[in-house]
């Protein structure tokens, strides 16, 4: 029995937000599957809406402050990440991308990530695959095979996908993330000073 | 403790008047600012090095060489000299020349530079920034410390029998600082050589600065140069002062709000909270900067950026007076009264470095004068001379032609 740190990034803007709703459902599914494997999920939710000004400031000044710095530190120390964005204009939202842009380029390397997205119509379903996956691939994240797109109709009993309904896809994605996270030792966050080569090594490499 | 100013040499429109100085005016203003800092009794003037508009300080040694002639007491330095894109041979030569001209009233700070295109403009690759900094500085040191150098490395053509001139003043090279914002390897480099480390904290929270300085101090001790608290530390900061704090805030706000580096982003209040930027009365600057010692330990040099964001020359000169008259004497007194006896008050002067070198048994010799085969009228003359020179007759001149 050991703890696993999950950090949930939600880029929804409205209150309440269907993006946050999907993020919560994915988190519950993952936590339940982790519990079934004998692990307790420690969940921290990062609502990008609350950090919007800080994100822009960090983009301009080059350093994150306050709650944004805390959020980035949490992500750097996470064992698994659930990232959910609304799809605007055929891609992730600008706020979501701006937040990802200020992460250290190695912050997500090797970290298990479950991707989710919401949109008004199922015709955006592939946005995760053509927009989000390449982004997280560039960051060397370990993205689970299943990601979840929830269109407006998916939240209705009668609408959405009858063959592969939303709850089923959420369960499957949660299971995949939980398996990946459970298989690994809890991560120790890598600090700026943890792996600095000694100067003899630096000279040798020159 | 030393207190001084540094310029990044930005040419910025004054947002209150819409007026932009041209490059000539800005260069002359910087010279005026440096002379005024000397007259006001500040300890250091340092200039950055940039090769792209809107910055004008492309040639630090030209500027500092002139200033060496027209100032009396102030230490002349750089902030920073680009160790990655300058030829290390030229760095060794130019700064030795500056050292001789200024009679040792200088030091220099090395940095890798933060402007991507500068690397290819000077034939380098930014992805090699760290290895360049390591190799180039190692060569600079050899050129200063050894009279005849045979060298080969990854990044420039090899040297056979090369002597860098002029030889360092009294046979002792200038004191060197290494500036880095978030690269522990550079703190490690400074620590390895027992050089100074400056953290230019102007865009960073103190929590970060503190960690960088602590790392450098630990490694300084590890490499055997003294105790951690004896390492030579400098900080960068920025202030705007008026006797009345509210007047200071009102006057500086348009400059802050429109500055290329922080304008249109966080509020001045937010930025002030997160960084060393202090806008207010002399006492507020004293209160803020007096506390940095508690964060990073007793340190030797505090540099202030005061001529940025399009502030007019008259205002900058007033800032120098306020610093020199109202702020620095108090900060210096506080720092001095708190400093343990075993911690150096200042970075080492040239005279101290000479004394230390003599105590360590290093004798100042200069035996490089030899027959000059190298000033022929044509390149072919030099080639013949090179072929005529035998290695036995000319130590270090080993041409396998």
């Amino acid at each position: 029995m050991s703890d696993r740190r999950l950090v949930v990034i939600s880029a929804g803007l409205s209150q309440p937000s269907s993006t946050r709703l999907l993020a919560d459902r994915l988190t519950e599914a993952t936590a339940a599957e982790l519990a079934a494997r004998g692990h307790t999920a420690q969940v921290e939710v990062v609502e990008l809406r609350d950090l919007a000004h800080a994100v822009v400031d960090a983009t301009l000044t080059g350093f994150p402050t306050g709650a944004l710095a805390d959020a980035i530190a949490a992500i750097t120390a996470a064992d698994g990440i659930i990232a959910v964005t609304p799809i605007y204009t055929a891609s992730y939202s600008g706020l979501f991308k701006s937040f990802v842009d200020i992460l250290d380029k190695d912050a997500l390397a090797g970290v298990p990530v479950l991707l989710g997205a919401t949109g008004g119509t199922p015709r955006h379903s592939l946005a995760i695959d053509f927009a989000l996956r390449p982004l997280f691939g560039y960051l060397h994240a370990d993205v689970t095979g299943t990601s979840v797109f929830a269109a407006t109709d998916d939240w209705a009993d009668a609408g959405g996908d009858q063959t592969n309904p939303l709850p089923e896809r959420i369960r499957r994605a949660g299971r995949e993330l939980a398996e990946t996270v459970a298989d690994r030792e809890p991560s120790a966050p890598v600090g700026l000073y943890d792996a600095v080569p000694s100067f003899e090594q630096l000279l040798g490499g020159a | 403790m030393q207190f001084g100013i540094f310029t990044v040499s930005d040419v910025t429109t004054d947002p209150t008047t819409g007026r932009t100085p041209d490059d000539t005016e800005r260069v002359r203003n910087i010279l005026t600012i440096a002379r005024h800092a000397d007259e006001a009794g500040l300890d250091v003037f340092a200039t950055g090095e940039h090769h792209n508009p809107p910055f004008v300080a492309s040639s630090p040694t030209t500027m500092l060489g002139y200033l060496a002639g027209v100032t009396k007491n102030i230490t002349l330095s750089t902030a920073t000299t680009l160790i990655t894109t300058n030829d290390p041979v030229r760095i060794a030569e130019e700064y030795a020349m500056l050292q001789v001209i200024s009679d040792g009233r200088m030091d220099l700070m090395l940095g890798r530079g933060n402007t991507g295109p500068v690397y290819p403009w000077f034939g380098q690759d930014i992805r090699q920034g760290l290895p360049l900094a390591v190799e180039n500085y190692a060569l600079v040191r050899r050129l200063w410390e050894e009279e005849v150098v045979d060298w080969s490395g990854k990044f420039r053509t090899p040297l056979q029998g090369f002597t860098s001139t002029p030889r360092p003043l009294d046979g002792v090279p200038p004191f060197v600082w290494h500036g880095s914002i978030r690269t522990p390897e550079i703190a490690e480099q400074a620590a390895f050589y027992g050089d100074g480390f400056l953290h230019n904290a102007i865009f960073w929270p103190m929590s970060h600065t503190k960690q960088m300085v602590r790392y450098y101090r630990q490694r300084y001790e590890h490499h055997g140069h003294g105790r951690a608290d004896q390492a030579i530390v400098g900080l960068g900061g920025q202030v705007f002062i008026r006797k009345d704090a509210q007047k200071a805030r009102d006057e500086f706000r348009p400059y802050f709000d429109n500055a290329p580096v922080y304008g249109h982003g966080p509020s001045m209040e937010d930025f002030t909270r997160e960084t060393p930027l202090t806008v207010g009365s002399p006492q507020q600057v004293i209160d803020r900067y007096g506390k940095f010692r508690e964060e990073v330990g007793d340190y030797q040099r505090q540099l202030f950026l005061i001529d940025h964001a399009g502030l007019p020359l008259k205002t900058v000169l007033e800032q120098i007076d306020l610093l020199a008259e109202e702020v620095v004497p108090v900060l210096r007194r506080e720092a001095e009264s708190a400093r343990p006896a075993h911690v150096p008050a200042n970075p080492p002067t040239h005279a101290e470095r000479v004394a230390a070198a003599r105590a360590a048994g290093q004798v100042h010799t200069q035996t490089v004068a030899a027959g000059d085969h190298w000033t022929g009228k044509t390149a072919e003359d030099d080639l013949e001379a090179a072929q005529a020179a035998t290695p036995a007759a000319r130590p270090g001149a080993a041409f396998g032609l």
Side-chain angles (χ1 to χ4, degrees), chain B residues 358-377:
Chain B
R358 298 294 176 268
Q362 291 168 23
V363 185
H364 176 35
T365 57
Q366 194 168 316
T367 56
V368 286
D372 171 22
H373 300 288
W374 313 107
T375 45
K377 287 182 286 296

Side-chain angles (χ1 to χ4, degrees), chain A residues 57 60 63 192-193 196 199, chain B residues 188-189 192 203 212 215 265-266:
Chain A
D57 286 351
L60 296 176
F63 63 90
L192 188 58
Y193 305 94
V196 187
F199 205 74
Chain B
E188 169 72 6
Q189 183 181 36
F192 175 80
F203 301 132
M212 277 299 272
Y215 186 77

Side-chain angles (χ1 to χ4, degrees), chain A residues 56-57 60-66 104 192-193 195-200 202-203 205-206, chain B residues 134 182 184-185 188-189 192-193 203 205 211-212 215 219 223 261 264-266 271 274-275:
Chain A
V56 173
D57 286 351
L60 296 176
T61 63
F63 63 90
T65 58
D104 192 89
L192 188 58
Y193 305 94
V196 187
S198 76
F199 205 74
E200 288 83 354
L202 286 170
L203 276 173
Chain B
V134 171
R182 65 178 312 265
E185 286 87 346
E188 169 72 6
Q189 183 181 36
F192 175 80
Y193 290 107
F203 301 132
Q211 287 176 314
M212 277 299 272
Y215 186 77
R219 299 300 296 174
H223 288 296
V261 281
H264 313 290
F271 200 80
E274 299 283 349
T275 73

Side-chain angles (χ1 to χ4, degrees), chain B residues 335-390:
Chain B
E336 199 47 32
S337 68
R339 180 177 62 85
H342 67 277
V343 173
N346 296 305
T349 61
H350 179 70
E352 287 166 349
R353 285 169 57 75
V354 170
R358 298 294 176 268
Q362 291 168 23
V363 185
H364 176 35
T365 57
Q366 194 168 316
T367 56
V368 286
D372 171 22
H373 300 288
W374 313 107
T375 45
K377 287 182 286 296
T378 66
E380 289 72 17
D381 292 348
D382 268 359
L383 187 63
E384 284 164 26
Q387 285 162 338
T390 62

